Every structure is written in C-alpha cells, then in structure tokens.
Amino acid sequence: MSREVRHLIGVVAGLAALPLVYYLTEAGARALRAAYAAFRPAPVGLGYLTAVAAIVVLLAAWSWLSPLAALACGLPLTAVAALFAFDLDVALDLAGRLPSFAVPAGEPPGTLAGVTGLYAVIGVLLVLSALLPRSRRSILGG
C-alpha cells in the first residue's frame, strides 16, 4: 500500500470517527450527569465512554501507519474544546446547528462534554499520538 493511500484512508477513518466520538462522548457525559444527580451507578455512561476510548485507541494505533487518522479526528475536537473554553456563546450557537440525537430540546449537542473538557482531553490525546516521533508511535517499537 502506498503512502498516499495510507494517508487517504487515515483521513477518511479520522473524519468518519469524528461524529461517533462527538456524539458518544456527549451521550456518556449525559448518562454520567443523570446518574450523579440520581445518586446511582452509570453503566450506560461507562459503556459510551468505553466505546469512545476504543475508537481513540484504534485511531492512535492507526497513527503508526499514518498520523492523519488521529489528526483528522483530534484537531476538530480540540478546536471545539477551545471554542467551548473561550467563547461559550459561539460554541452553543454552532452546536445548536448540528443534528441532535436523543438530546433534550433546548440544550445543543456537545454542550455538557464541551463544558466539562472531555473534548479537550480526547482531542489533545489524539493530536499528541499523531505528533509523536514515528519510532515512538510504532506498536512494534521499531
């Protein structure tokens, strides 16, 4: 497989993972908040965030072939996190224009995960995994 094909597949995989990570993170944050408010366990929230972790691990593992998979997903998440951190009104307006799946009316998708910093953690981890030197990215260590 040529380098260009690997990079193209990496970008497509990263962009395909972006909405999954975005909405699963939001669903996990909502489930954790609901469980916290009800003072009960949150296995559903843990399940959502475990799925996000699995996607992040796959994208980070792909970065030993092409770092563009992690960058294509991580950079937009980091940008969303920065938007939530620095201009909440703009972030809420932007999130309100996105399609919402099982999100209560009146609260844009991504709000809870953006405000709590989950997108920042996930995005920065993905970007850092892509920016590591190739020798450190390799699963085989060389």
Side-chain angles (χ1 to χ4, degrees), residues 21-31 33 49 52 103 107-114 118-119:
V21 170
Y22 184 81
Y23 287 112
L24 285 173
T25 303
E26 175 63 16
R30 285 183 185 281
R33 178 178 66 178
L49 294 178
V52 170
V103 176
E107 187 173 340
T111 302
L112 183 62
L118 285 172
Y119 295 134

Side-chain angles (χ1 to χ4, degrees), residues 36-130:
Y36 180 76
F39 198 68
R40 60 180 170 78
V44 173
L46 179 62
Y48 286 136
L49 294 178
T50 301
V52 170
I55 294 169
V56 168
V57 165
L58 288 174
L59 290 174
W62 179 266
S63 70
W64 72 277
L65 284 174
S66 170
L68 295 180
L71 284 176
C73 187
L75 284 176
L77 285 174
T78 304
V80 166
L83 204 55
F84 273 105
F86 296 117
D87 198 343
L88 186 59
D89 293 332
V90 172
L92 292 175
D93 183 50
L94 179 65
R97 296 175 191 199
L98 295 173
S100 59
F101 303 101
V103 176
E107 187 173 340
T111 302
L112 183 62
V115 171
T116 58
L118 285 172
Y119 295 134
V121 171
I122 295 166
V124 167
L125 285 174
L126 282 169
V127 170
L128 287 177
S129 75

